[in-house]
Amino acid sequence: MNLVAFEIEEKRSATAQIFKSLAMEMLELAALDLSRAEPDALDRTSSAAARRADRQSALLWLSEKGDRGVVTFGLCCDALNVPIDPMRVALLTAPSQVLAQIRTILQSDTQSAAKADSNQSRRRALSCPL
């Protein structure tokens, strides 16, 4: 593999990884918003209003109604190769469990990425002519 082809493949892979990270973070945010307890209906504080708005926004994003988010729920699931309907059901029924799983995956991905970066630097050094 020549250097140009290697760099093109490296950029394509990096772009895909960035989008997957974005999709994972969006699912994490929705799970977080849905896992928080809904405030009491009589609570008129600004924090309660913000929690209600966040929860409503997450529900609209999951149902893919309105113009919530730049990236749709379905596109996030597709990017992560996760079936849409089971993920939607999981987020609606057990958001705290989904949140815990997402955070575990993100933590292991962070550790893997650090290792991959060192391996990638080594491969680049080995592929460059002296």
Side-chain angles (χ1 to χ4, degrees):
M1 179 183 291
N2 66 24
L3 186 59
V4 172
F6 180 77
E7 287 179 0
I8 290 171
E9 180 60 26
E10 190 176 60
K11 287 178 183 176
R12 186 192 65 76
S13 177
T15 302
Q17 189 56 45
I18 290 169
F19 187 72
K20 285 182 179 181
S21 295
L22 174 67
M24 188 67 95
E25 288 179 21
M26 290 181 72
L27 286 173
E28 179 185 23
L29 181 60
L32 179 64
D33 290 340
L34 293 171
S35 67
R36 292 184 180 134
E38 194 163 349
D40 184 52
L42 299 175
D43 188 352
R44 301 289 182 223
T45 62
S46 61
S47 63
R51 280 197 321 250
R52 279 189 208 95
D54 289 345
R55 183 175 184 78
Q56 184 62 26
S57 179
L59 289 170
L60 287 172
W61 184 69
L62 282 178
S63 65
E64 298 195 65
K65 293 181 181 170
D67 59 349
R68 299 288 187 234
V70 175
V71 180
T72 65
F73 173 71
L75 194 56
C76 287
C77 290
D78 286 345
L80 299 169
N81 201 22
V82 177
I84 296 170
D85 290 330
M87 177 58 86
R88 183 178 288 126
V89 170
L91 282 168
L92 291 172
T93 57
S96 57
Q97 291 176 354
V98 174
L99 181 62
Q101 290 176 342
I102 289 172
R103 287 184 172 167
T104 301
I105 291 168
L106 288 173
Q107 186 178 26
S108 67
D109 283 354
T110 302
Q111 293 168 352
S112 297
K115 187 175 180 180
D117 284 345
S118 67
N119 288 340
Q120 193 173 29
S121 296
R122 189 177 315 123
R123 275 187 286 161
R124 182 180 289 136
L126 292 174
S127 69
C128 292
L130 297 175

